[in-house]
Amino acid sequence: MIAALPLLALPVLVYNLIALTGGAAGLTLTLFSVRMASGADWPVTTGDLLLAASLVVLFVELLKSTNSRRAAIVNHGLSMLLFVVCLVELLLAPAFATSTFFLITLMVLLDVLAGFIVTILAARRDVDFGAGVGL
């Protein structure tokens, strides 16, 4: 049953913890700077790291969506529920009206769409209607 839980709930949970305890200012906190070859400094913020981690989690979720077991179907449903929660938070809660949370919500939407599309394509491939037989 644990395999059915959408992994993108983790970045959403982390964002919720940051936004509800420190507000949006917690996402703009510069953690460190990277000196680029051009000589410019690239400040890496908490929001940047959260987005990078979310992209890695999205990749793993996309790999999980290729499975057509019962757990994958439950995962698709829970991902849809997570998207609805993210959308409501984005639209109604001021602490979630940031580009960082919008991009995380977009990743959750992509996970939902990819999961359903991959499942439909796999089902179409598994079902052969006997095209061309007897013609």
Side-chain angles (χ1 to χ4, degrees):
M1 186 63 181
I2 299 270
L5 295 175
L7 294 177
L8 280 169
L10 295 174
V12 172
L13 180 65
V14 169
Y15 187 95
N16 275 280
L17 291 174
I18 292 171
L20 297 176
T21 58
L27 295 167
T28 60
L29 177 68
T30 300
L31 298 175
F32 57 90
S33 267
V34 177
R35 174 70 84 178
M36 305 304 287
S38 65
D41 284 332
W42 170 32
V44 179
T45 65
T46 308
D48 296 335
L49 284 182
L50 184 58
L51 285 175
S54 299
L55 284 171
V56 171
V57 171
L58 176 63
F59 176 72
V60 173
E61 275 292 315
L62 292 176
L63 291 178
K64 279 178 43 179
S65 71
T66 61
N67 193 349
S68 61
R69 295 183 315 192
R70 183 181 308 234
I73 304 302
V74 173
N75 179 284
H76 299 330
L78 292 174
S79 293
M80 177 62 89
L81 182 65
L82 180 64
F83 172 69
V84 170
V85 169
C86 288
L87 189 61
V88 168
E89 286 180 335
L90 179 70
L91 296 175
L92 300 179
F96 295 87
T98 64
S99 295
T100 302
F101 193 72
F102 169 75
L103 291 172
I104 291 172
T105 303
L106 185 61
M107 288 181 216
V108 174
L109 175 63
L110 291 174
D111 174 41
V112 170
L113 293 176
F116 285 124
I117 290 169
V118 166
T119 301
I120 289 168
L121 291 177
R124 284 181 60 194
R125 183 180 31 135
D126 290 344
V127 175
D128 187 9
F129 291 105
V133 176
L135 293 178

